[in-house]
Amino acid sequence: MASSPVTVTVTGAAGQIGYALLFRIASGQLLGPDTPVRLRLLEIPQAVKAAEGTAMELDDCAFTTLDSVEIYDDATAAFDGVNVALLVGARPRTAGMERGDLLSANGGIFKPQGAAINAGAADDVRVLVVGNPANTNAFIAASHAPDVPRERFTAMTRLDHNRAVSQLATKTGAKVGDIAKLTIWGNHSATQYPDLSHATVGGRPALEVVGDDTWVRDTFIPTVAKRGAAIIEARGASSAASAANAAIDHVHTWVHGTPAGDWTSAGIVSDGSYGVPEGLISSFPVTSVDGRWQIVPDLSVDEFSRSRIDASVAELVEERDAVQALGLL
Ligand SMILES: NC(=O)C1=CN([C@@H]2O[C@H](COP(=O)(O)OP(=O)(O)OC[C@H]3O[C@@H](n4cnc5c(N)ncnc54)[C@H](O)[C@@H]3O)[C@@H](O)[C@H]2O)C=CC1
Ligand SMILES: O=C([O-])CC(=O)C(=O)O
């Protein structure tokens, strides 16, 4: 086992996703079986007791990869020396809440957390924002961490990616492992664009294998984009285990790289590629090489894809302008 433990801080640790996520991190699934984890749980004071219960259960698993568990209700202490920050805790939308109220409430969480990461994170810090609205929350946090390279702030669209892979595999009768080069573009919201234009099924173009453009436009895209709402409707609570799984996948890929001949999707800072305004945190087709995300270059974008990407990016611009107007940047 590697000698020095890696510090992983999880916010919203006593929540649903936290409960599904912490045991997988502690058991080595995030960073590998040779990397001990120093786990830090950040919660609001009212939820610290519940986090203590989870920490007792983590102890009871006797994971060989778990170096220690500490609980915090203070962001500055929780992020001091952090290598991997998983920002899961967020303010959910409640009945009657306007969009501005939601952005404002989340600004109150992600602004100080960005500042705390800026103040104390390790030089190699990697940040994944899961809490919604994930892209804009990541944008807010990054804006308050001027000393951390902006590309270290990412937002999770891996769950959307995994959902899309699964839907395509089911439709074509292929194995999940036969699907490659699928992309989620834009925002982690109902405007996202799950794109099959470059996807392959067993090496063949996915659109050719499916052979049904109507299914792609009228079933596949809305099913993936609205899957979160469908889970809430069925379960009475939002996706938790699958969201935790996607967070593990995102960080694992970031650290260990993408398989040859494939890519994945992640919300990363735009460098202006594909007409996405520079600086926005938008989902792109990405590979991870030497521990850094890279946008897959030079993909053709047809008229339909262009309009779908533009629509989702327009929503990201609106969210950015709204948080700017609220003084959250
Ligand atoms: N990006 C994605 O694909 C997905 C994102 N989500 C989002 O993830 C977030 C968490 O979901 P759940 O775990 O189901 O929610 P939850 O409500 O069960 O847990 C959230 C936890 O965050 C904590 N929290 C609130 N403010 C905090 C702060 N300032 N610092 C630390 N902790 C804080 C709460 O006390 C609570 O324990 C939600 O915003 C949800 O919409 C959920 C599924 C997928
Ligand atoms: O809408 C939510 O809170 C859950 C969510 O992001 C998803 O399942 O994709």
Side-chain angles (χ1 to χ4, degrees), residues 12 15-17 42-44 88-90 109 113 130-132 156 188 239:
Q16 282 205 93
I17 294 176
L42 176 65
E43 260 297 349
I44 53 173
V88 179
I109 295 172
Q113 290 185 357
V130 174
N132 281 320
M156 191 166 94
H188 171 68
S239 322

Side-chain angles (χ1 to χ4, degrees), residues 10-19 41-48 50 72-73 75 79 87-93 105-106 108-110 112-113 128-135 137 155-160 163 188 228 232 235 237-240 242-244 246-247:
V10 179
T11 77
Q16 282 205 93
I17 294 176
Y19 196 71
L41 319 187
L42 176 65
E43 260 297 349
I44 53 173
Q46 307 89 289
V48 160
Y72 298 85
D73 62 8
F79 290 122
L87 309 190
V88 179
R91 174 77 159 81
R93 190 194 290 265
N106 279 299
I109 295 172
F110 289 88
Q113 290 185 357
L128 170 63
V129 177
V130 174
N132 281 320
N135 300 55
N137 287 340
M156 191 166 94
T157 54
R158 185 61 169 265
L159 178 54
D160 310 294
R163 288 167 170 164
H188 171 68
I232 292 170
R235 225 170 74 81
S238 62
S239 322
S242 56

